[in-house]
């Protein structure tokens, strides 16, 4: 299946789940934490503040003692924005804290590390903070927004800029779109001197010294964008400081996973620590999987059919436990692994297989199912609806297996049977 379809489907799934989990799409484009992004920025000559990272309370005093600044900013590291306005599950307010007092740092770090941070962009129960950044604070005069993005609509990269950056950029985009400029970039030319000047002026950095610095920062950002095969480099805010520096105060970089083979150093930074373990496991076997909160595990081929299956389960009063598209070129082993992931999920009380064999051979699916059901000692009801290529052979394999498989001839019947199986 094309990547486009997968991504489109995942957007639909995300709206279906009614939560914004943009970083949990089946195409696992790598995202880095702020501090990791800043290391890349620094290496490319983009200005960032000095920082230290605390990931273990035991060593926190040691790390903090070595770090000195006139003022500090303490920032929880998670793969979601909106931290400044977020709150923790222990009641602590704000994922970004500023203090002048060195002796307060440890207390702030203690309130963040190991606790869940909830922001507008996280799932509703938040994300555990495993790393905290302690950075030099900077004296901000003006916060702006800059982002280089691969944009489907423009068939290439665009530069998005706003003089009204900072924590309310979403509101700016909605209420005052004139304050946001989108400039399509030529992939070979990138951010030219003249584009960089135009943007610096638009950001309000027209004064000679600031202009030169902004132009240099933007040109370095572009160079990095190309060098690391980024899909997005977002700097919010890019600030002007009291002493007339231009500094990237927050950074978010995501990468094109098609480029993994030539960006191995970067991809090795991915600890996948924040992702749903079911999704991490599934991605090892190239399965397009998204975990959900329901109890009917679905194994489907094709994103469209997966969406339809989830809809019909809902229509019949059930709730899907996942979105799982095994794709067109699925092998028996992947079917086995998909089954294993579903059965290891304690929430799954029934499994529904819905496969339309176009490219995929139904017998492959049937063999995978039978093998998995036997080896894994399947104890929950299994409803199977197969149609298409080699379906007779597939039905025979299922029937002769002697396993208690409930078969269904169409989608509606399959969903009804799965829902009924749970209610019994
Ligand atoms: P998020 O976007 O997740 O809320 P940011 O890193 O953008 O997190 O921080 C939120 C706000 O905190 C910034 O818009 C800025 O006003 C302030 N801030 C962040 N880092 C610093 C810093 N080093 N010095 C001064 N203020 C900062
Ligand atoms: Mg920010």
């Amino acid at each position: 299946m094309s990547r486009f379809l997968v991504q489109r489907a995942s957007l639909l799934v995300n709206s279906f789940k009614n939560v914004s989990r943009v970083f949990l799409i089946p195409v696992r484009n790598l995202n880095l934490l702020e501090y990791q992004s800043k290391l890349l920025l620094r290496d490319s000559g983009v200005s960032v503040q000095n920082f230290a990272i605390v990931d273990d309370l035991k060593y926190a005093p040691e790390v903090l003692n070595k770090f000195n600044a006139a003022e500090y900013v303490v920032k929880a590291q998670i793969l979601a924005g909106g931290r400044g306005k977020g709150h923790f599950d222990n009641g602590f307010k704000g994922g970004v804290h500023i203090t002048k007092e060195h002796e307060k740092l440890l207390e702030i770090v203690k309130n963040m590390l190991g606790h869940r941070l909830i922001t507008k962009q996280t799932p509703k129960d938040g994300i555990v903070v495993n790393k905290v950044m302690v950075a030099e604070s900077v004296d901000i005069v003006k916060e702006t927004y800059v982002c280089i993005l691969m944009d489907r609509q423009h068939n290439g990269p665009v530069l998005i800029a706003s003089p009204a950056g900072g924590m309310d950029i979403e509101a700016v985009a909605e209420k005052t779109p004139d304050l946001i400029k989108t400039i399509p970039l030529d992939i070979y030319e990138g951010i030219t001197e003249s584009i960089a000047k135009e943007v610096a002026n638009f950001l309000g950095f027209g004064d000679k010294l600031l202009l030169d610095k902004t132009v240099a920062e933007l040109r370095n950002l572009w160079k990095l964008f190309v060098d690391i095969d980024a899909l997005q480099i977002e700097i919010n805010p890019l600030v002007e400081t009291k002493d007339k520096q231009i500094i990237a105060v927050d950074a978010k970089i995501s990468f094109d996973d098609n480029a993994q083979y030539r960006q191995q150093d970067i991809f090795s930074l991915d600890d996948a620590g924040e992702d749903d373990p079911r999704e991490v496991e599934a991605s090892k076997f190239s399965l397009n999987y998204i975990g959900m909160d329901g109890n009917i595990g679905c194994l489907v081929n094709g994103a469209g059919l997966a969406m339809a299956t989830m809809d019909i389960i809902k229509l019949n009063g059930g709730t899907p436990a996942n979105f799982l598209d095994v794709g067109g070129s699925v092998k028996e082993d992947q079917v086995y692994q998909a089954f294993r992931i579903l059965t290891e999920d304690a929430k799954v009380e029934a499994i529904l297989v819905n496969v339309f064999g176009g490219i995929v051979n139904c017998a492959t699916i049937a063999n995978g199912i039978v093998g998995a059901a036997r080896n894994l000692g399947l104890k929950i009801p299994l409803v199977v609806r197969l149609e298409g290529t080699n379906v007779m052979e597939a039905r025979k394999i299922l029937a002769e297996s002697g396993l208690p498989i409930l078969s269904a001839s169409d989608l509606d019947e399959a969903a009804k049977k799965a829902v009924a199986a749970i209610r019994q």
Side-chain angles (χ1 to χ4, degrees):
M1 181 197 324
S2 79
R3 181 166 299 272
F4 171 66
L5 249 178
V6 174
Q7 262 171 344
R8 234 184 68 81
S10 68
L11 286 177
L12 289 171
V13 171
N14 280 326
S15 59
F16 179 85
K17 289 161 83 175
N18 206 16
V19 283
S20 89
R21 297 171 69 195
V22 280
F23 47 87
L24 287 186
I25 56 177
V27 179
R28 285 191 72 249
N29 286 322
L30 171 65
N31 290 290
L32 292 185
L33 292 166
E34 175 195 1
Y35 86 94
Q36 296 167 319
S37 299
K38 282 185 169 170
L39 292 174
L40 294 174
L41 289 168
R42 193 172 66 191
D43 289 348
S44 291
V46 178
S47 308
V48 295
Q49 323 99 283
N50 288 323
F51 64 81
I53 291 292
V54 183
D55 57 8
D56 186 340
L57 270 186
K58 205 165 56 189
Y59 302 109
E62 198 178 316
V63 175
L64 295 174
N65 282 339
K66 280 194 218 142
F67 196 78
N68 275 299
E71 192 176 39
Y72 305 89
V73 51
V74 186
K75 301 168 101 174
Q77 300 292 293
I78 56 169
L79 290 178
R83 294 166 300 167
K85 294 191 169 173
H87 66 277
F88 288 85
D89 58 353
N90 57 0
F92 192 63
K93 295 240 158 8
V96 177
H97 277 251
I98 295 181
T99 178
K100 285 196 164 65
E101 296 164 63
H102 193 281
E103 58 277 16
K104 283 211 172 143
L105 291 177
L106 186 59
E107 193 193 318
I108 300 172
V109 170
K110 270 187 188 159
N111 272 307
M112 294 182 172
L113 207 59
H115 299 285
R116 302 185 80 88
L117 174 56
I118 298 130
T119 82
K120 262 198 239 168
Q121 294 182 17
T122 63
K124 64 179 184 316
D125 50 353
I127 296 174
V128 178
V129 176
N130 292 320
K131 291 191 169 77
V132 175
M133 167 195 264
V134 179
E136 277 174 3
S137 178
V138 286
D139 236 331
I140 299 177
V141 176
K142 185 178 166 63
E143 301 199 17
T144 70
Y145 177 94
V146 167
C147 178
I148 307 174
L149 177 72
M150 272 300 176
D151 185 36
R152 195 173 293 286
Q153 221 179 338
H154 290 88
N155 288 321
V158 294
L159 173 59
I160 302 171
S162 172
M167 290 195 276
D168 288 316
I169 190 68
E170 287 88 354
V172 172
E174 202 179 309
K175 294 187 188 125
T176 47
D178 289 355
L179 288 179
I180 295 187
K181 203 177 204 146
T182 302
I183 303 175
L185 300 171
D186 181 302
I187 188 85
Y188 298 109
E189 304 279 331
I191 300 180
T192 59
E193 184 93 16
S194 80
I195 290 177
K197 279 186 180 155
E198 177 193 339
V199 170
N201 278 309
F202 179 66
L203 294 177
F205 300 148
D207 133 344
K208 175 81 179 104
L209 182 67
L210 292 179
L211 186 98
D212 288 348
K213 285 190 173 159
T214 310
V215 167
E217 299 291 333
L218 291 174
R219 305 261 284 166
N220 285 336
L221 275 183
W222 172 257
K223 190 177 167 320
L224 179 64
F225 185 80
V226 174
D227 285 351
I228 60 178
D229 292 301
L231 287 178
Q232 178 185 334
I233 300 185
E234 184 188 56
I235 309 293
N236 186 29
L238 177 74
V239 309
E240 173 193 346
T241 64
K242 234 180 189 163
D243 55 353
K244 292 212 172 276
Q245 303 293 321
I246 297 288
I247 294 180
V249 156
D250 187 13
K252 183 168 177 240
I253 306 184
S254 57
F255 300 85
D256 184 348
D257 69 349
N258 290 302
Q260 181 163 4
Y261 72 99
R262 59 181 183 202
Q263 300 292 351
Q264 291 188 357
D265 289 354
I266 291 175
F267 277 79
S268 69
L269 297 172
D270 180 17
D271 63 4
E274 277 183 19
D275 293 353
D276 184 327
R278 296 173 296 179
E279 296 176 17
V280 176
E281 189 61 16
S283 72
K284 288 186 199 155
F285 304 99
S286 308
L287 297 166
N288 291 315
Y289 184 100
I290 298 183
M292 282 184 227
D293 299 331
N295 53 8
I296 299 180
C298 307
L299 190 152
V300 182
N301 75 320
L305 196 56
M307 297 295 299
T309 306
M310 294 193 305
D311 278 347
I312 290 190
I313 288 174
K314 281 239 154 188
L315 210 63
N316 283 286
T319 43
N322 69 291
F323 168 100
L324 171 58
D325 166 19
V326 295
S329 53
V330 62
K331 305 258 164 20
E332 229 177 277
D333 179 55
Q334 283 170 295
V335 175
Y336 177 86
Q337 297 297 347
F339 248 81
R340 183 180 62 74
I341 292 163
L342 291 179
T343 51
E344 282 173 1
D345 186 343
K347 282 196 300 204
V348 172
E349 294 172 35
I351 295 179
L352 178 94
V353 176
N354 183 22
V355 168
F356 187 86
I359 304 169
V360 64
N361 184 338
C362 287
T364 307
I365 302 278
N367 280 325
I369 294 173
V370 169
R374 276 213 185 101
N375 286 324
L376 300 167
L378 191 69
K379 292 187 185 64
I380 52 177
L382 167 62
V383 182
V384 180
R385 181 253 175 173
L386 293 174
E387 203 52 76
T389 308
N390 224 0
V391 69
M392 295 321 251
E393 168 77 15
R395 288 195 182 137
K396 198 162 149 238
I397 294 168
L398 294 179
E400 287 175 0
S401 72
L403 292 162
I405 296 171
L406 300 162
S407 63
S409 56
D410 63 37
L411 192 44
D412 199 44
E413 187 192 346
K416 283 200 168 86
K417 282 191 170 164
V419 174
I422 286 176
R423 293 222 175 105
Q424 275 169 9

